[in-house]
Amino acid sequence: MYKMGLLSSILLLIIIQICVAPPVTQKKEDEADITGLEDYMEYHRYLKEVVNALESDPDFRKKLEKADEHEIKSGKIAEELEFVSHHVRTRLDEIKRVEMERLKQLVEQKKKLEDPNNSVDEDPLHNHLDHSNPHTFEIEDLKKLIAKTTEDLAEADKLRKEEFKHYELEKEYKKMEKLNHTNGEEREKLEKQMKEMEEKHKKHERLHEPGHKAQLEEVWESQDQMQQDFDPKTFFLLHDIDGNGLWDQEEVKALFIKELDKMYQEGAPEDDMRERYEEMERMRESVYKDMDRNRDGFIDFDEFIYQTKTNEFNQDHGWQALDEQKPYTDEELAEYIKQHQANNNCHLP
Ligand SMILES: *[C@@H]1O[C@H](CO)[C@@H](O)[C@H](O)[C@H]1NC(C)=O
Ligand SMILES: *[C@@H]1O[C@H](CO)[C@@H](O)[C@H](O)[C@H]1NC(C)=O
């Protein structure tokens, strides 16, 4: 089976994530710095060029395809750089020179702005390349690039959760504010309305545990329209949309459509599509936790088959959805309200 170079897969994943990432919530002075993916992934053009150059070397490409995930993630693969053709090395040196130049301009731009709080760059160390050697692209450069890329994937999840928490805090605050602006009968009516919406949203078919047999079987039967018994091998191939032998995040998330439909209907006033998006990401994380045994960000065929042979796979503990838990604590909500009220008071004439 043809296996796409892992570096290109990782790169693809990043590009996909940038494209589908939800709009970043607006920054306010008093909040933790929540920056979009785009900001700290400015180097992705550089990453893409390095990967393209490396993959244009047939020997290196072969080695990348054969390398196991550990060799790639540990950065060991970078040592193969020594055997890359002179022509490709020259190309890499040039790519690095251009990137160094871009970073230099960034720093100058930042100085010109003279606003220390308006940071152009969230990663002042630019850890994705080796600065001690500004002229040529070496093993250390490739190692740093790989380390930074995998780190960013984890960072992306962390950021997403922070943004979601913020969204929910704001939502709750708005609700309370609205209530506070009413009183007497009107308030009771509004409270009743809100409660009804909440209950309507909570009323839904039970969700299956993501990535377990019962859930996948439902996809197999109703989405894939398969008549025969669930067959893990066929299922894996069916949902490896790009046929690269790996399930990436997008391919895994596509498995949850039916599950999510049980709880979130487009256009239903009681269902929040932002929450649907978060629910999908949470399901993806849960499946990765179970199946992505080598933690390389992909579920490969062997990992999937391994999982289907466990006892766990046949069980269905259901899914604790977002309607059963808040992403913030009571203390965090109280703090949020306090800060907003302090802010509002400052703006009073
Ligand atoms: C930058 O932030 C600090 C504290 O966060 C604040 O005291 C200072 O006034 C800010 N500077 C500018 C130029 O906004
Ligand atoms: C609503 O009013 C209560 C009581 O006055 C107050 O404690 C609370 O902070 C207010 N909430 C908001 C969001 O304005």
Side-chain angles (χ1 to χ4, degrees):
M1 197 182 306
Y2 172 71
K3 199 164 163 180
M4 199 203 313
L6 242 130
L7 260 178
S8 357
S9 303
I10 289 174
L11 165 78
L12 250 173
L13 197 65
I14 290 172
I15 293 176
I16 288 167
Q17 287 200 347
I18 292 174
C19 297
V20 301
V24 176
T25 32
Q26 267 191 351
K27 250 197 237 180
K28 297 186 184 126
E29 303 117 60
D30 58 333
E31 289 157 11
D33 249 13
I34 296 171
T35 337
L37 269 175
E38 298 88 339
D39 279 355
Y40 64 80
M41 284 189 181
E42 276 208 20
Y43 68 92
H44 84 259
R45 185 193 46 78
Y46 169 73
L47 171 64
K48 192 172 170 183
E49 285 178 3
V50 169
V51 171
N52 282 344
L54 284 172
E55 294 220 324
S56 76
D57 186 281
D59 287 339
F60 191 85
R61 199 193 158 94
K62 234 180 257 162
K63 281 186 187 124
L64 253 184
E65 279 161 20
K66 272 204 219 121
D68 68 29
E69 283 81 1
H70 177 72
E71 280 175 281
I72 293 176
K73 283 196 73 187
S74 67
K76 196 169 183 309
I77 187 76
E79 283 156 25
E80 297 294 337
L81 194 64
E82 293 219 50
F83 309 105
V84 161
S85 74
H86 177 69
H87 166 73
V88 171
R89 286 299 285 265
T90 313
R91 174 88 196 97
L92 287 168
D93 293 346
E94 173 63 12
I95 293 169
K96 182 171 174 183
R97 195 190 58 72
V98 172
E99 178 67 358
M100 292 291 284
E101 186 58 33
R102 181 183 76 86
L103 296 180
K104 209 174 105 201
Q105 282 176 7
L106 249 178
V107 172
E108 278 166 14
Q109 225 179 52
K110 196 170 160 182
K111 269 193 211 141
K112 257 190 234 152
L113 282 171
E114 280 180 346
D115 177 0
N117 297 346
N118 185 1
S119 69
V120 179
D121 171 35
E122 292 297 319
D123 171 26
L125 298 174
H126 298 300
N127 276 335
H128 62 285
L129 44 69
D130 178 18
H131 289 262
S132 66
N133 162 33
H135 302 297
T136 58
F137 186 98
E138 301 295 338
I139 290 174
E140 202 48 38
D141 289 300
L142 191 50
K143 279 188 171 167
K144 281 180 185 282
L145 187 55
I146 291 169
K148 178 96 171 84
T149 313
T150 31
E151 208 179 277
D152 283 350
L153 289 177
E155 186 65 19
D157 277 334
K158 224 172 87 194
L159 262 174
R160 192 203 79 237
K161 275 184 210 145
E162 273 306 308
E163 281 178 17
F164 181 68
K165 182 158 124 184
H166 177 82
Y167 171 83
E168 291 292 307
L169 280 168
E170 177 84 11
K171 189 172 156 180
E172 185 62 22
Y173 178 80
K174 287 260 159 69
K175 234 166 100 178
M176 286 169 75
E177 209 182 20
K178 211 170 150 192
L179 271 176
N180 274 6
H181 282 109
T182 60
N183 46 43
E185 232 175 83
E186 207 190 328
R187 185 178 171 121
E188 268 173 37
K189 210 174 120 196
L190 190 59
E191 255 173 347
K192 193 163 159 254
Q193 246 177 23
M194 285 174 172
K195 214 171 159 91
E196 274 170 8
M197 288 267 272
E198 213 171 287
E199 270 158 21
K200 204 167 162 199
H201 172 60
K202 278 190 176 172
K203 234 169 110 180
H204 55 77
E205 204 183 318
R206 180 180 182 268
L207 269 66
H208 292 304
E209 191 165 11
H212 286 227
K213 191 172 183 199
Q215 192 253 313
L216 299 185
E217 238 169 10
E218 206 167 288
V219 176
W220 172 262
E221 281 161 18
S222 64
Q223 207 168 305
D224 302 337
Q225 309 260 315
M226 300 299 274
Q227 311 290 329
Q228 66 266 47
D229 282 350
F230 179 76
D231 173 47
K233 187 172 173 211
T234 311
F235 187 80
F236 185 88
L237 296 175
L238 266 177
H239 292 275
D240 177 17
I241 313 293
D242 60 9
N244 70 347
L246 304 162
W247 277 0
D248 61 33
Q249 291 197 4
E250 295 310 303
E251 286 162 339
V252 170
K253 285 189 278 191
L255 299 172
F256 310 136
I257 295 171
K258 200 163 170 357
E259 226 48 51
L260 293 165
D261 281 348
K262 291 178 184 170
M263 218 180 136
Y264 303 94
Q265 290 287 333
E266 182 95 52
E270 73 274 15
D271 297 338
D272 183 338
M273 290 301 120
R274 177 71 182 79
E275 287 170 5
R276 179 185 166 114
Y277 176 86
E278 179 63 18
E279 199 83 75
M280 176 178 77
E281 297 292 342
R282 289 176 68 237
M283 289 177 171
R284 188 254 312 154
E285 283 181 294
S286 162
V287 166
Y288 266 76
K289 201 162 143 268
D290 288 345
M291 292 195 202
D292 182 21
R293 299 169 63 80
N294 64 9
R295 304 273 170 249
D296 68 343
F298 298 91
I299 291 162
D300 60 45
F301 182 72
D302 292 340
E303 283 172 336
F304 179 68
I305 297 301
Y306 179 93
Q307 185 68 16
T308 60
K309 289 180 178 153
T310 61
N311 284 334
E312 187 62 18
F313 182 71
N314 293 303
Q315 289 170 14
D316 183 16
H317 304 101
W319 175 247
Q320 208 200 7
L322 290 167
D323 57 359
E324 295 172 51
Q325 57 192 329
K326 288 187 166 60
Y328 51 79
T329 62
D330 290 346
E331 290 75 32
E332 283 171 323
L333 179 61
E335 181 59 25
Y336 188 86
I337 292 171
K338 213 172 92 191
Q339 286 201 358
H340 268 238
Q341 283 168 343
N343 258 16
N344 288 345
N345 289 341
C346 293
H347 299 308
L348 286 175

